[in-house]
Amino acid sequence: MMLQYFQRLASVTEARISKYPHQPNARKKFALEIAKLGIRLYSGEHRVAWCGVVAPFDVLSAMNVTSCFVEFVGAMLASTGTVGMFLEESEHAGFAADTCGYHRAVLGAAMKGMMPVPDIMIATTCPCSGGLAAMENLARTFKKELFVLDVPSSDTSESVRYLADQYKNMMRFVSDRIGGSIDEDRLRESIVKSNRARELMIEVYRLAQHVPSPANGQSLANFGIVMALFLGTDAGIEIAQAYKDEYEEMIRNGKSGVPDEKIRLLWLQNRIQFKHPLIRLLEEEYQAAIVIDELNDITWDAIDPDDPFTSIARRTITTPLNGKISQRLDHIQRLSKLYKVDGAVNPCHWGCRQGTGARGLIQAGLKEVGVPVVNLEVDCVDTRNFAEGQLRTRLEAFMEMLRSNPTAHGA
Amino acid sequence: MYYLGVDLGSLSCDAVLLDHDGGVLASSVVLTGARNREAIAKATDAVLRLAGITEDQIRATVSTGYGRDRVEKRLAAVTEITCHARGIKSLFGGAQILIDIGGQDSKAVRLDPNGQVIDFAMNDKCAAGTGRFLEAMARALQVDIEELADLDLGASGNVTLSSMCTVFAESEVVSLIADGVEVREIVSGLNRAIASRIVALVRRVAPMSNGLSIAMSGGVAHNSGVVRALSQAFETAISVPPKPDTVGALGAALIAREKYARQS
Ligand code: SF4
């Protein structure tokens, strides 16, 4: 089912791109690469690694392994509208219904045989312990040994060294399982590509800051987190280039992502992954654009090709959701100012302690910089929990508040 | 020239009709039931009849409530948060905090001196402590919902409910009755449980609510026992208008009048 889904997505998207071959087609190219990744994961023809969210995907790609974080599958199942049966499967097997839907979905998919058996499994302790537990469960289901990358929370030289050493062990772990030795030249080539994609992504984010923004509610949804999967590849560079071209062209032509943009929003943490009417409501009724997502940022320096693991360790440690909440707050305060946002939307994804534990601190922290927050309390994966009326009221009241009182503080 | 506000809530559909100067001509409250359109027509017809005018004399209608998009012939649909704030401002000019407990949700709204919403919080996806909760408890106690209001009088307050989940609380009430606990103690326990949830909601918009002027709207404000428990919890008197369930519709009608004036 998943293979056919990705194949159909690829052919439909290719057809759409070929209709307008001279346009940048940024979002479509992004979707096409997602489809191609899905095909590689599910075709049975490639070496596959199921990973945690912050695994070094460019290193794994240099080792010729198609790698992906498992939460991606949860998000894809939600976007296809079929997630309910997988959630039920895991709940029937005893997984608590109030844990993160990304993990419940993926565990249910594995139980139903909808996840290809991987060659390798690499968990990461960041962003959440739920992810680690899900990976341990999956490793049992697949009868695979699990390699765990223990991500330290602070950016000190000892922490960086500690994580960098683990990458070397991880590479040995991978090469022991797929055979062959590590090709230094391939790794270097991959690093160069990651750095190029990084430069382009910085440009894309800089362009998105423009007032009015070329970004609308959907164009950069899931961008930062999924682009990590394409680092080290030509696809990553092409996607970022297409966004840069598209945004530059829009700004040149005086076009904005949301026509007549009136409200600029910051979206915290993850998007709602299934089809829902809220983004369109924001755009059409309130001319509100989501100009920045918390996870759409480059927080890392270019990777040193002569010492890649140190730089990659720093890249992982500086991930926005890693470490102390005060770091997260500094980051979202900085983004709020850079993107000149009027308000922030915190989905408070059901079951995510990582995301919702800091709800009050986030609200207070954004208040300090004059940015009100609306807390949605939505399950970003589980369509069965979607209370559209409640969510509409929260968002619409927030929009009314922002429109009538630009200095309002909170929701 | 007349202005209409219609609040289509989960339990009741309310309408308020204003005259040219913004004075209230008539108001009505009907049960929403299963057919929204019928409820809207009934509530509207009632105010037209009371005021002795016809529908074509209405210049503008603003709808609110969870079913706000189902009201046809509307100039705009505005959320109940904004409408309740606008309504309460017209009744209690000095209100700084508004507590609105309706049929299936509760809200705390922080108002600035001009009556603008500067912060709000809603209950988290659960009807505990709302009108539906009280309905279920009245059922368990085998009394009418209106009777609940004064049943707590004279209670010593020594019963505390351990669950606010509507289902669990209902069975807890049943077992308290079976244990011979006095009804007034049970009702007092229910009211205090609701008050404690509302205090938590208000803290989210006003961490220090001491000294702030608090008003209440929504159908649950008819229940004087809940209002008493809230006054005790906040250690201040709570202002309740005579028709708390029509505050949202009143706000909607006031907004209709303002919007119409701005447009023409
Ligand atoms: S949403 Fe929260 S719990 Fe779920 S994977 Fe992300 S960080 Fe972990």
Side-chain angles (χ1 to χ4, degrees), chain A residues 53 71 99-103 126-131 225 269-270 321 349-356 380:
Chain A
V53 173
E71 289 81 358
T99 54
C100 174
Y102 289 98
H103 299 137
C126 169
C128 61
S129 54
I225 192 160
Q269 212 180 341
N270 306 338
L321 292 182
H349 169 56
W350 183 296
C352 176
R353 276 64 168 165
Q354 180 75 14
T356 53
C380 294

Coordinates of all heavy atoms in Angstrom, one line a residue, chain A residues 53 71 99-103 126-131 225 269-270 321 349-356 380, ligand 1:
Chain A
V53 N 15.1 11.0 15.0 CA 14.9 12.2 14.2 C 16.2 12.9 13.9 O 16.4 13.5 12.8 CB 14.0 13.2 15.0 CG1 13.9 14.5 14.4 CG2 12.6 12.6 15.2
E71 N 9.3 8.7 12.6 CA 8.2 9.6 12.7 C 7.6 10.0 11.3 O 6.5 10.4 11.2 CB 8.5 10.8 13.6 CG 8.8 10.5 15.0 CD 10.1 9.9 15.3 OE1 10.9 9.7 14.4 OE2 10.4 9.7 16.5
T99 N -0.1 8.6 24.3 CA 1.3 8.9 23.9 C 1.4 9.4 22.5 O 0.3 9.5 21.8 CB 2.2 7.6 24.0 OG1 1.5 6.6 23.2 CG2 2.3 7.1 25.4
C100 N 2.5 9.9 22.1 CA 2.6 10.6 20.8 C 2.1 9.7 19.6 O 2.5 8.6 19.4 CB 4.1 10.9 20.6 SG 4.4 11.6 19.0
G101 N 1.3 10.3 18.8 CA 0.6 9.6 17.7 C 1.6 9.2 16.6 O 1.4 8.2 15.9
Y102 N 2.7 10.0 16.5 CA 3.7 9.6 15.5 C 4.2 8.2 15.8 O 4.4 7.3 14.9 CB 4.9 10.5 15.5 CG 4.7 11.9 15.0 CD1 4.4 13.0 15.8 CD2 4.7 12.1 13.6 CE1 4.1 14.2 15.3 CE2 4.5 13.4 13.1 CZ 4.2 14.5 14.0 OH 4.0 15.7 13.5
H103 N 4.5 7.9 17.1 CA 5.0 6.6 17.5 C 4.0 5.6 17.5 O 4.3 4.4 17.1 CB 5.7 6.8 18.9 CG 6.8 7.8 18.9 ND1 7.0 8.7 19.9 CD2 7.8 8.0 17.9 CE1 8.1 9.4 19.5 NE2 8.5 9.0 18.4
C126 N 17.5 12.3 21.3 CA 16.8 13.6 21.0 C 15.9 13.4 19.8 O 16.3 12.6 18.9 CB 17.9 14.6 20.7 SG 17.3 16.1 20.1
P127 N 14.7 13.9 19.7 CA 14.2 14.9 20.6 C 13.4 14.4 21.8 O 13.1 15.2 22.7 CB 13.2 15.7 19.7 CG 12.7 14.7 18.8 CD 13.9 13.8 18.5
C128 N 13.2 13.1 21.9 CA 12.4 12.6 23.0 C 12.6 11.2 23.4 O 13.0 10.4 22.5 CB 10.9 12.8 22.7 SG 10.3 11.9 21.3
S129 N 12.4 10.9 24.7 CA 12.6 9.5 25.1 C 11.5 8.6 24.5 O 11.7 7.4 24.4 CB 12.6 9.4 26.6 OG 11.4 10.0 27.1
G130 N 10.3 9.2 24.1 CA 9.3 8.4 23.5 C 9.8 7.8 22.2 O 9.5 6.6 21.8
G131 N 10.6 8.6 21.5 CA 11.2 8.1 20.2 C 12.1 6.9 20.4 O 12.1 6.0 19.7
I225 N 12.7 19.9 9.0 CA 12.9 18.5 9.6 C 13.0 17.5 8.5 O 13.8 16.6 8.6 CB 11.7 18.2 10.5 CG1 12.0 16.9 11.3 CG2 10.4 18.1 9.9 CD1 11.2 16.8 12.6
Q269 N 7.0 24.0 16.9 CA 7.2 22.5 16.7 C 6.6 22.0 15.5 O 6.9 22.5 14.4 CB 6.7 21.8 18.0 CG 7.5 20.5 18.2 CD 7.1 19.8 19.5 OE1 6.4 20.4 20.3 NE2 7.4 18.5 19.6
N270 N 5.7 20.9 15.6 CA 5.3 20.2 14.4 C 4.0 20.8 13.8 O 3.2 21.3 14.5 CB 5.1 18.7 14.7 CG 6.2 18.1 15.4 OD1 7.3 18.6 15.2 ND2 6.0 17.0 16.1
L321 N 15.0 21.6 19.4 CA 14.3 20.9 20.5 C 15.3 20.2 21.5 O 14.8 19.5 22.4 CB 13.3 19.9 19.9 CG 12.1 20.5 19.2 CD1 11.2 19.4 18.7 CD2 11.4 21.5 20.0
H349 N 1.0 19.5 20.6 CA 0.7 18.1 20.1 C 0.4 17.1 21.3 O 1.2 16.9 22.2 CB 1.8 17.6 19.3 CG 1.7 16.2 18.9 ND1 0.7 15.7 18.2 CD2 2.6 15.2 19.0 CE1 0.9 14.4 18.0 NE2 2.1 14.1 18.5
W350 N -0.8 16.6 21.2 CA -1.2 15.6 22.2 C -0.2 14.5 22.5 O 0.3 13.9 21.5 CB -2.5 15.0 21.7 CG -3.2 14.0 22.5 CD1 -2.8 12.8 23.0 CD2 -4.6 14.1 23.0 NE1 -3.7 12.2 23.7 CE2 -4.8 13.0 23.8 CE3 -5.6 15.1 22.9 CZ2 -6.1 12.7 24.4 CZ3 -6.8 14.9 23.6 CH2 -7.0 13.7 24.3
G351 N 0.2 14.3 23.7 CA 1.1 13.2 24.0 C 2.5 13.6 23.9 O 3.4 12.8 24.3
C352 N 2.8 14.8 23.5 CA 4.3 15.2 23.4 C 4.7 16.0 24.6 O 4.4 17.2 24.7 CB 4.5 16.0 22.1 SG 6.2 16.6 22.1
R353 N 5.3 15.3 25.6 CA 5.8 16.0 26.8 C 6.9 16.9 26.4 O 7.0 18.0 27.0 CB 6.3 14.9 27.8 CG 5.2 14.3 28.7 CD 4.3 13.5 27.9 NE 3.4 12.7 28.7 CZ 2.3 12.1 28.3 NH1 1.9 12.3 27.0 NH2 1.6 11.3 29.1
Q354 N 7.7 16.5 25.5 CA 8.8 17.4 25.0 C 8.2 18.8 24.5 O 8.8 19.8 24.9 CB 9.4 16.7 23.8 CG 10.6 17.4 23.2 CD 11.8 17.3 24.1 OE1 11.8 16.5 25.0 NE2 12.8 18.1 23.9
G355 N 7.1 18.7 23.8 CA 6.6 20.0 23.2 C 5.7 20.7 24.2 O 5.8 21.9 24.3
T356 N 4.9 20.0 25.0 CA 3.9 20.7 25.8 C 4.3 20.9 27.2 O 3.8 21.8 27.8 CB 2.5 19.8 25.8 OG1 2.9 18.5 26.3 CG2 1.9 19.7 24.5
C380 N -1.6 16.1 16.3 CA -1.1 16.4 15.0 C -1.2 15.2 14.0 O -1.0 15.3 12.8 CB 0.3 17.0 15.0 SG 0.5 18.6 15.8
Ligands
SF4_1 S1 6.0 15.1 18.7 FE1 7.1 15.1 20.7 S2 6.8 13.0 21.5 FE2 6.3 13.0 19.3 S3 8.2 12.5 18.2 FE3 8.2 14.7 18.3 S4 9.2 15.3 20.2 FE4 8.7 13.1 20.3

